[in-house]
Amino acid sequence: MPNLKKIAGAALLASAGLLAALNAQAAIPIQHWTLPNGAKVYLAATDALPIVDVQVDFDAGSRRDPAAQAGLAAASAGMVQKGVRASDAGAALDENALGEAWADLGANFNVGAGAERTSFSLRTLANPALLDKAVALAAREIGEPSFPADVWQREREQIVAALKEANTQPGTVSARAFAHALYGTHPYGQETTEATLATIDVAMMRARQAQLILPCRAKLSIVGAVTRAQADSIATRLLSRLPAQDGACATLPPVPEVATLSAPSEERIPFTSAQAHVVIGQPGYARRDPDHFALNVGNYILGGGGFVSRLMNEVREKRGLVYGIYSGFAPGLHAGAFRVGFQTRPDQADEAVKVSREVLAKFVADGPTEAELKAAKDNLIGGFPLLLDSNAKLLGNVANIAWNDLPLDYLDTWTARMNAVTVADIKAAFARKLQPQRMVTVIVGAKP
């Protein structure tokens, strides 16, 4: 067995090398190809670290959950790491045995589900012996989860307890009310509750696995010290324990687009808390939208830039109504939310909402100043290398490119596209996307 501490130490010493390499050249080239089974592979090969990071994404997020079983995606993802069944690849392993196996390899394997995708992530040293064993074990977890019923009963009880605790927090209450008002019946707005969890069983998890976790639906992003041939082998082996496919991959049912708001709404929810929690917003835009760069820069100026943002200056600095305030877009395959959020004293909530709406409406109507645009570009472009200064960050960017079908040169052209944004571009993009007169406002904890 190789000396794991020695290899890991070398990896840490080399970590500064990745940032230096990224600063010295354009972004690392991304290679892309499709496996015979239909899986799509994206590779950013770099030998700055003796580490390999892999993310395998499937269209199996919560937007695919039946409304009556909201939470199925997250529950299934959590159960993947609770055991693998016996197969020709080895004996059955429970959650404790799996944990010990990963510890012995000095590798990490995680599974999670968001609104759109279920993601399997592997991090391992590039040492061939360790890499082969880590890939083999990850393949079993991806393709042969056991979904033990007794463990699910325990996990469900823990999730319900966590939900009950979260529901005592004003932030949870405001987020839930905002999502309901914003999305209505769209899958983005589905809420996991004790009732929906009660309907979920391991048979549903297995059926979901059989329908959604298939090689032809996989997008694999690989970053690290591997060649294309090695990456091809890794991708193939990671999916090798999934069922063989007969013919083409069946098309999944389309998910509807998020409906635009036809009128403003305001919800005030009584809540005993020291601070009122406020969220203002509307559906934003899908990640594929060509206005993305203009909206990204514009939002930095409006409320994404911390203490240099307009909202922070007008609502906090000039009037002292909040400690902090932010705005942000959350684009996805559908129009994710645009929101302005803050906390304030309950007796100041109405004034803070009024000023925030005025700042937002003025920004949408007039756009930023040239000075604001220059400062935003300087900050965003200057910080760009820090978005790529580790294997993990680079992997996240490659996975973003893969998931959203962005151009392979997206990272190479990022700075030029950011530099090309004008004041007129931002004004026009915000006018197209935001309607301040039709937004949702949720206030939790303010005095009636």
Side-chain angles (χ1 to χ4, degrees), residues 170 271-277 323 343-347 444-447:
F271 203 96
T272 302
S273 59
Q275 296 285 307
H277 289 241
Y323 287 109
Q343 298 174 36
T344 186
R345 280 196 346 236
D347 62 302
V444 174
K447 292 180 179 179

Side-chain angles (χ1 to χ4, degrees), residues 370-411:
E370 290 288 353
E372 287 175 322
L373 177 59
K374 181 181 185 305
K377 286 182 179 181
D378 288 346
N379 189 287
L380 290 168
I381 293 172
F384 181 63
L386 298 179
L387 302 178
L388 303 169
D389 65 354
S390 70
N391 261 32
K393 291 180 184 178
L394 183 56
L395 178 70
N397 279 280
V398 175
N400 175 58
I401 290 168
W403 187 250
N404 292 291
D405 292 320
L406 301 178
L408 294 183
D409 66 352
Y410 175 79
L411 298 177

Side-chain angles (χ1 to χ4, degrees), residues 83-95 97-98 140 144 146:
V84 296
R85 63 180 182 269
S87 70
D88 59 357
L93 300 173
D94 64 15
E95 57 186 317
L98 273 176
R140 294 196 67 192
E144 298 172 343
S146 58

Side-chain angles (χ1 to χ4, degrees), residues 29-247:
I30 298 173
Q31 303 175 61
H32 169 52
W33 66 95
T34 302
L35 298 178
N37 59 20
K40 295 177 171 56
V41 185
Y42 295 76
L43 168 66
T46 169
D47 58 3
L49 297 172
I51 291 174
V52 179
D53 283 282
V54 185
Q55 182 169 317
V56 189
D57 290 323
F58 295 87
D59 184 353
S62 62
R63 73 181 189 140
R64 296 289 176 191
D65 288 351
Q69 284 79 45
L72 177 59
S76 300
M79 285 295 293
V80 166
Q81 295 183 281
K82 304 306 179 184
V84 296
R85 63 180 182 269
S87 70
D88 59 357
L93 300 173
D94 64 15
E95 57 186 317
N96 294 323
L98 273 176
E100 291 173 359
W102 285 115
D104 288 343
L105 291 172
N108 293 317
F109 183 80
N110 294 290
V111 189
E116 296 177 347
R117 47 183 157 165
T118 289
S119 302
F120 301 84
S121 59
L122 169 66
R123 162 166 278 207
T124 177
L125 294 170
N127 176 276
L130 295 174
L131 177 60
D132 287 347
K133 291 178 181 179
V135 169
L137 185 57
R140 294 196 67 192
E141 286 206 45
I142 293 171
E144 298 172 343
S146 58
F147 295 122
D150 58 334
V151 174
W152 168 234
Q153 295 300 321
R154 181 198 72 198
E155 291 297 302
R156 178 162 51 195
E157 291 175 0
Q158 293 177 353
I159 296 170
V160 167
L163 282 176
K164 289 179 177 178
E165 170 61 26
N167 288 336
T168 68
Q169 305 300 317
T172 301
V173 175
S174 62
R176 184 174 61 228
F178 180 73
H180 179 74
L182 197 71
Y183 295 120
T185 59
H186 189 276
Y188 271 7
Q190 288 181 173
E191 179 189 351
T192 302
T193 66
E194 187 173 353
T196 65
L197 287 169
T199 68
I200 296 172
D201 58 29
V202 295
M204 292 177 183
M205 296 180 188
R206 294 189 181 108
R208 175 185 173 281
Q209 171 92 1
Q211 178 193 18
L212 301 178
I213 310 300
L214 297 174
C216 60
R217 304 196 194 286
K219 289 189 173 183
L220 300 98
S221 303
I222 303 174
V223 171
V226 291
T227 64
R228 174 165 174 156
Q230 289 172 319
D232 190 90
S233 175
I234 289 169
T236 300
R237 286 184 292 150
L238 281 173
L239 304 176
S240 64
R241 310 309 300 178
L242 291 170
Q245 299 161 224
D246 295 324

Side-chain angles (χ1 to χ4, degrees), residues 232-322:
D232 190 90
S233 175
I234 289 169
T236 300
R237 286 184 292 150
L238 281 173
L239 304 176
S240 64
R241 310 309 300 178
L242 291 170
Q245 299 161 224
D246 295 324
C249 207
T251 302
L252 292 173
V255 176
E257 294 301 329
V258 176
T260 58
L261 300 177
S262 59
S265 67
E266 182 173 300
E267 184 173 5
R268 293 173 178 264
I269 303 173
F271 203 96
T272 302
S273 59
Q275 296 285 307
H277 289 241
V278 180
V279 188
I280 304 168
Q282 65 163 86
Y285 69 98
R287 180 59 185 81
R288 62 183 176 274
D289 195 292
D291 282 335
H292 173 73
F293 280 89
L295 294 166
N296 191 12
V297 180
N299 181 70
Y300 181 91
I301 298 166
L302 172 63
F307 282 96
V308 300
S309 74
R310 274 210 198 172
L311 282 167
M312 188 73 86
N313 184 56
E314 294 293 333
V315 186
R316 180 189 191 276
E317 296 300 319
K318 288 186 177 180
R319 296 171 176 85
L321 294 171
V322 299

